[in-house]
PDB file of all heavy atoms in Angstrom:
ATOM      1  N   VAL A 102     138.386 145.013 135.644  1.00  0.00           N
ATOM      2  CA  VAL A 102     139.691 144.439 135.990  1.00  0.00           C
ATOM      3  C   VAL A 102     140.202 143.589 134.837  1.00  0.00           C
ATOM      4  O   VAL A 102     141.366 143.690 134.433  1.00  0.00           O
ATOM      5  CB  VAL A 102     139.583 143.600 137.287  1.00  0.00           C
ATOM      6  CG1 VAL A 102     140.852 142.763 137.499  1.00  0.00           C
ATOM      7  CG2 VAL A 102     139.344 144.511 138.485  1.00  0.00           C
ATOM      8  N   HIS A 103     139.342 142.743 134.272  1.00  0.00           N
ATOM      9  CA  HIS A 103     139.762 141.905 133.148  1.00  0.00           C
ATOM     10  C   HIS A 103     140.131 142.755 131.934  1.00  0.00           C
ATOM     11  O   HIS A 103     141.068 142.424 131.199  1.00  0.00           O
ATOM     12  CB  HIS A 103     138.654 140.923 132.777  1.00  0.00           C
ATOM     13  CG  HIS A 103     138.577 139.730 133.694  1.00  0.00           C
ATOM     14  ND1 HIS A 103     139.543 138.754 133.720  1.00  0.00           N
ATOM     15  CD2 HIS A 103     137.649 139.362 134.605  1.00  0.00           C
ATOM     16  CE1 HIS A 103     139.211 137.828 134.605  1.00  0.00           C
ATOM     17  NE2 HIS A 103     138.076 138.180 135.168  1.00  0.00           N
ATOM     18  N   GLN A 104     139.415 143.838 131.715  1.00  0.00           N
ATOM     19  CA  GLN A 104     139.713 144.706 130.581  1.00  0.00           C
ATOM     20  C   GLN A 104     141.045 145.419 130.776  1.00  0.00           C
ATOM     21  O   GLN A 104     141.844 145.533 129.835  1.00  0.00           O
ATOM     22  CB  GLN A 104     138.590 145.731 130.404  1.00  0.00           C
ATOM     23  CG  GLN A 104     138.777 146.650 129.201  1.00  0.00           C
ATOM     24  CD  GLN A 104     137.575 147.556 128.988  1.00  0.00           C
ATOM     25  OE1 GLN A 104     136.427 147.142 129.164  1.00  0.00           O
ATOM     26  NE2 GLN A 104     137.826 148.800 128.619  1.00  0.00           N
ATOM     27  N   ALA A 105     141.308 145.877 131.992  1.00  0.00           N
ATOM     28  CA  ALA A 105     142.549 146.617 132.265  1.00  0.00           C
ATOM     29  C   ALA A 105     143.756 145.693 132.352  1.00  0.00           C
ATOM     30  O   ALA A 105     144.884 146.131 132.122  1.00  0.00           O
ATOM     31  CB  ALA A 105     142.404 147.402 133.568  1.00  0.00           C
ATOM     32  N   ARG A 106     143.518 144.423 132.679  1.00  0.00           N
ATOM     33  CA  ARG A 106     144.605 143.474 132.872  1.00  0.00           C
ATOM     34  C   ARG A 106     144.430 142.267 131.948  1.00  0.00           C
ATOM     35  O   ARG A 106     143.966 141.203 132.368  1.00  0.00           O
ATOM     36  CB  ARG A 106     144.655 143.025 134.338  1.00  0.00           C
ATOM     37  CG  ARG A 106     145.095 144.106 135.316  1.00  0.00           C
ATOM     38  CD  ARG A 106     146.595 144.367 135.221  1.00  0.00           C
ATOM     39  NE  ARG A 106     147.334 143.181 135.635  1.00  0.00           N
ATOM     40  CZ  ARG A 106     147.643 142.909 136.910  1.00  0.00           C
ATOM     41  NH1 ARG A 106     147.275 143.725 137.881  1.00  0.00           N
ATOM     42  NH2 ARG A 106     148.321 141.817 137.203  1.00  0.00           N
ATOM     43  N   PRO A 107     144.771 142.408 130.665  1.00  0.00           N
ATOM     44  CA  PRO A 107     144.582 141.294 129.733  1.00  0.00           C
ATOM     45  C   PRO A 107     145.380 140.049 130.101  1.00  0.00           C
ATOM     46  O   PRO A 107     145.056 138.957 129.644  1.00  0.00           O
ATOM     47  CB  PRO A 107     145.041 141.881 128.388  1.00  0.00           C
ATOM     48  CG  PRO A 107     145.861 143.082 128.729  1.00  0.00           C
ATOM     49  CD  PRO A 107     145.293 143.614 130.003  1.00  0.00           C
ATOM     50  N   ASN A 108     146.407 140.214 130.939  1.00  0.00           N
ATOM     51  CA  ASN A 108     147.194 139.055 131.395  1.00  0.00           C
ATOM     52  C   ASN A 108     146.529 138.319 132.539  1.00  0.00           C
ATOM     53  O   ASN A 108     146.974 137.228 132.925  1.00  0.00           O
ATOM     54  CB  ASN A 108     148.593 139.512 131.835  1.00  0.00           C
ATOM     55  CG  ASN A 108     148.551 140.477 133.012  1.00  0.00           C
ATOM     56  OD1 ASN A 108     147.658 141.314 133.110  1.00  0.00           O
ATOM     57  ND2 ASN A 108     149.514 140.373 133.908  1.00  0.00           N
ATOM     58  N   ALA A 109     145.472 138.880 133.105  1.00  0.00           N
ATOM     59  CA  ALA A 109     144.793 138.271 134.248  1.00  0.00           C
ATOM     60  C   ALA A 109     143.700 137.331 133.741  1.00  0.00           C
ATOM     61  O   ALA A 109     142.688 137.778 133.212  1.00  0.00           O
ATOM     62  CB  ALA A 109     144.206 139.344 135.154  1.00  0.00           C
ATOM     63  N   VAL A 110     143.917 136.047 133.924  1.00  0.00           N
ATOM     64  CA  VAL A 110     142.906 135.059 133.561  1.00  0.00           C
ATOM     65  C   VAL A 110     141.786 135.049 134.591  1.00  0.00           C
ATOM     66  O   VAL A 110     140.629 134.840 134.251  1.00  0.00           O
ATOM     67  CB  VAL A 110     143.544 133.655 133.434  1.00  0.00           C
ATOM     68  CG1 VAL A 110     142.486 132.548 133.410  1.00  0.00           C
ATOM     69  CG2 VAL A 110     144.419 133.585 132.192  1.00  0.00           C
ATOM     70  N   ALA A 111     142.122 135.301 135.849  1.00  0.00           N
ATOM     71  CA  ALA A 111     141.140 135.188 136.919  1.00  0.00           C
ATOM     72  C   ALA A 111     141.268 136.331 137.914  1.00  0.00           C
ATOM     73  O   ALA A 111     142.338 136.912 138.081  1.00  0.00           O
ATOM     74  CB  ALA A 111     141.303 133.853 137.643  1.00  0.00           C
ATOM     75  N   ALA A 112     140.144 136.613 138.574  1.00  0.00           N
ATOM     76  CA  ALA A 112     140.113 137.614 139.643  1.00  0.00           C
ATOM     77  C   ALA A 112     139.210 137.102 140.753  1.00  0.00           C
ATOM     78  O   ALA A 112     138.184 136.460 140.488  1.00  0.00           O
ATOM     79  CB  ALA A 112     139.600 138.953 139.117  1.00  0.00           C
ATOM     80  N   ALA A 113     139.615 137.357 141.991  1.00  0.00           N
ATOM     81  CA  ALA A 113     138.865 136.874 143.155  1.00  0.00           C
ATOM     82  C   ALA A 113     138.581 138.035 144.105  1.00  0.00           C
ATOM     83  O   ALA A 113     139.478 138.825 144.417  1.00  0.00           O
ATOM     84  CB  ALA A 113     139.651 135.782 143.886  1.00  0.00           C
ATOM     85  N   HIS A 114     137.346 138.110 144.555  1.00  0.00           N
ATOM     86  CA  HIS A 114     136.952 139.146 145.516  1.00  0.00           C
ATOM     87  C   HIS A 114     135.936 138.552 146.479  1.00  0.00           C
ATOM     88  O   HIS A 114     135.010 137.846 146.075  1.00  0.00           O
ATOM     89  CB  HIS A 114     136.335 140.349 144.812  1.00  0.00           C
ATOM     90  CG  HIS A 114     135.629 141.288 145.746  1.00  0.00           C
ATOM     91  ND1 HIS A 114     136.285 141.993 146.730  1.00  0.00           N
ATOM     92  CD2 HIS A 114     134.318 141.619 145.864  1.00  0.00           C
ATOM     93  CE1 HIS A 114     135.422 142.726 147.410  1.00  0.00           C
ATOM     94  NE2 HIS A 114     134.213 142.513 146.903  1.00  0.00           N
ATOM     95  N   SER A 115     136.113 138.833 147.746  1.00  0.00           N
ATOM     96  CA  SER A 115     135.169 138.347 148.752  1.00  0.00           C
ATOM     97  C   SER A 115     135.225 139.251 149.974  1.00  0.00           C
ATOM     98  O   SER A 115     136.193 139.975 150.178  1.00  0.00           O
ATOM     99  CB  SER A 115     135.526 136.903 149.134  1.00  0.00           C
ATOM    100  OG  SER A 115     134.720 136.455 150.179  1.00  0.00           O
ATOM    101  N   HIS A 116     134.183 139.172 150.781  1.00  0.00           N
ATOM    102  CA  HIS A 116     134.115 139.950 152.014  1.00  0.00           C
ATOM    103  C   HIS A 116     134.574 139.080 153.183  1.00  0.00           C
ATOM    104  O   HIS A 116     133.822 138.804 154.116  1.00  0.00           O
ATOM    105  CB  HIS A 116     132.696 140.470 152.237  1.00  0.00           C
ATOM    106  CG  HIS A 116     132.238 141.418 151.170  1.00  0.00           C
ATOM    107  ND1 HIS A 116     131.012 142.051 151.230  1.00  0.00           N
ATOM    108  CD2 HIS A 116     132.834 141.853 150.032  1.00  0.00           C
ATOM    109  CE1 HIS A 116     130.878 142.829 150.152  1.00  0.00           C
ATOM    110  NE2 HIS A 116     131.959 142.711 149.418  1.00  0.00           N
ATOM    111  N   SER A 117     135.808 138.662 153.130  1.00  0.00           N
ATOM    112  CA  SER A 117     136.392 137.824 154.179  1.00  0.00           C
ATOM    113  C   SER A 117     136.619 138.666 155.435  1.00  0.00           C
ATOM    114  O   SER A 117     136.761 139.887 155.379  1.00  0.00           O
ATOM    115  CB  SER A 117     137.700 137.210 153.697  1.00  0.00           C
ATOM    116  OG  SER A 117     138.571 138.211 153.213  1.00  0.00           O
ATOM    117  N   ILE A 118     136.669 137.998 156.572  1.00  0.00           N
ATOM    118  CA  ILE A 118     136.681 138.711 157.859  1.00  0.00           C
ATOM    119  C   ILE A 118     137.919 139.577 158.031  1.00  0.00           C
ATOM    120  O   ILE A 118     137.830 140.783 158.315  1.00  0.00           O
ATOM    121  CB  ILE A 118     136.554 137.710 159.021  1.00  0.00           C
ATOM    122  CG1 ILE A 118     135.169 137.071 159.010  1.00  0.00           C
ATOM    123  CG2 ILE A 118     136.805 138.411 160.367  1.00  0.00           C
ATOM    124  CD1 ILE A 118     134.992 135.959 160.026  1.00  0.00           C
ATOM    125  N   TYR A 119     139.095 138.990 157.881  1.00  0.00           N
ATOM    126  CA  TYR A 119     140.315 139.748 158.166  1.00  0.00           C
ATOM    127  C   TYR A 119     140.632 140.729 157.053  1.00  0.00           C
ATOM    128  O   TYR A 119     141.213 141.797 157.309  1.00  0.00           O
ATOM    129  CB  TYR A 119     141.475 138.782 158.430  1.00  0.00           C
ATOM    130  CG  TYR A 119     141.222 137.937 159.651  1.00  0.00           C
ATOM    131  CD1 TYR A 119     140.803 136.610 159.531  1.00  0.00           C
ATOM    132  CD2 TYR A 119     141.336 138.467 160.935  1.00  0.00           C
ATOM    133  CE1 TYR A 119     140.531 135.836 160.656  1.00  0.00           C
ATOM    134  CE2 TYR A 119     141.067 137.705 162.060  1.00  0.00           C
ATOM    135  CZ  TYR A 119     140.661 136.389 161.921  1.00  0.00           C
ATOM    136  OH  TYR A 119     140.381 135.636 163.032  1.00  0.00           O
ATOM    137  N   GLY A 120     140.233 140.407 155.838  1.00  0.00           N
ATOM    138  CA  GLY A 120     140.386 141.367 154.755  1.00  0.00           C
ATOM    139  C   GLY A 120     139.561 142.611 154.995  1.00  0.00           C
ATOM    140  O   GLY A 120     140.014 143.738 154.785  1.00  0.00           O
ATOM    141  N   ARG A 121     138.346 142.417 155.491  1.00  0.00           N
ATOM    142  CA  ARG A 121     137.504 143.576 155.813  1.00  0.00           C
ATOM    143  C   ARG A 121     138.086 144.377 156.973  1.00  0.00           C
ATOM    144  O   ARG A 121     138.046 145.615 156.961  1.00  0.00           O
ATOM    145  CB  ARG A 121     136.093 143.109 156.158  1.00  0.00           C
ATOM    146  CG  ARG A 121     135.228 142.856 154.945  1.00  0.00           C
ATOM    147  CD  ARG A 121     133.807 142.517 155.339  1.00  0.00           C
ATOM    148  NE  ARG A 121     133.711 141.192 155.941  1.00  0.00           N
ATOM    149  CZ  ARG A 121     132.624 140.715 156.534  1.00  0.00           C
ATOM    150  NH1 ARG A 121     131.546 141.478 156.642  1.00  0.00           N
ATOM    151  NH2 ARG A 121     132.591 139.499 157.030  1.00  0.00           N
ATOM    152  N   ALA A 122     138.614 143.677 157.970  1.00  0.00           N
ATOM    153  CA  ALA A 122     139.204 144.388 159.105  1.00  0.00           C
ATOM    154  C   ALA A 122     140.395 145.228 158.652  1.00  0.00           C
ATOM    155  O   ALA A 122     140.534 146.395 159.046  1.00  0.00           O
ATOM    156  CB  ALA A 122     139.635 143.394 160.177  1.00  0.00           C
TER     157      ALA A 122
END
Side-chain angles (χ1 to χ4, degrees):
V102 168
H103 281 291
Q104 183 174 321
R106 291 286 295 274
N108 62 323
V110 165
H114 167 64
S115 175
H116 297 183
S117 53
I118 292 174
Y119 297 102
R121 278 185 289 171

